[in-house]
């Protein structure tokens, strides 16, 4: 998987996360779907060849350490 593929996948998962948060915003319990999405994003960020600009990777969005 190259950086462009990672970027596309992270953007997809972030849109899914946004949808899931909006869909369940009135719930006060842990949503397992949100946890699953965040884990998928973290996995992609783990394999990304980071290129940081302004403190964030342009490919996966990970904040620079």
């Amino acid at each position: 998987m190259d950086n462009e593929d990672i970027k596309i996948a992270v953007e997809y998962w972030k849109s899914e996360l946004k949808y899931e948060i909006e869909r369940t915003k009135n719930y006060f319990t842990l949503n397992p779907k949100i946890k699953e999405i965040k884990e998928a994003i973290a996995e992609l960020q783990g394999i990304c060849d980071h290129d940081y600009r302004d403190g964030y990777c342009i490919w996966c969005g990970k904040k620079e350490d």
Side-chain angles (χ1 to χ4, degrees):
M1 184 175 254
D2 66 9
N3 284 340
E4 191 64 36
D5 293 333
I6 290 170
K7 183 177 183 176
I8 292 167
V10 167
E11 288 173 357
Y12 167 79
W13 284 115
K14 285 185 177 182
S15 70
E16 287 292 306
L17 180 61
K18 183 179 176 181
Y19 168 77
E20 196 63 28
I21 289 171
E22 183 64 29
R23 187 180 75 78
T24 61
K25 67 182 177 184
N26 293 324
Y27 293 99
F28 296 101
T29 58
L30 177 62
N31 184 332
K33 183 70 174 175
I34 291 174
K35 182 178 182 248
E36 178 184 320
I37 292 169
K38 286 183 175 186
E39 287 172 353
I41 292 171
E43 183 178 326
L44 290 166
Q45 289 174 334
I47 61 172
C48 182
D49 296 324
H50 303 295
D51 183 4
Y52 293 105
R53 305 247 170 92
D54 299 322
Y56 291 90
C57 178
I58 63 171
W59 302 111
C60 71
K62 182 179 180 187
K63 186 174 181 178
E64 191 171 18
D65 296 329

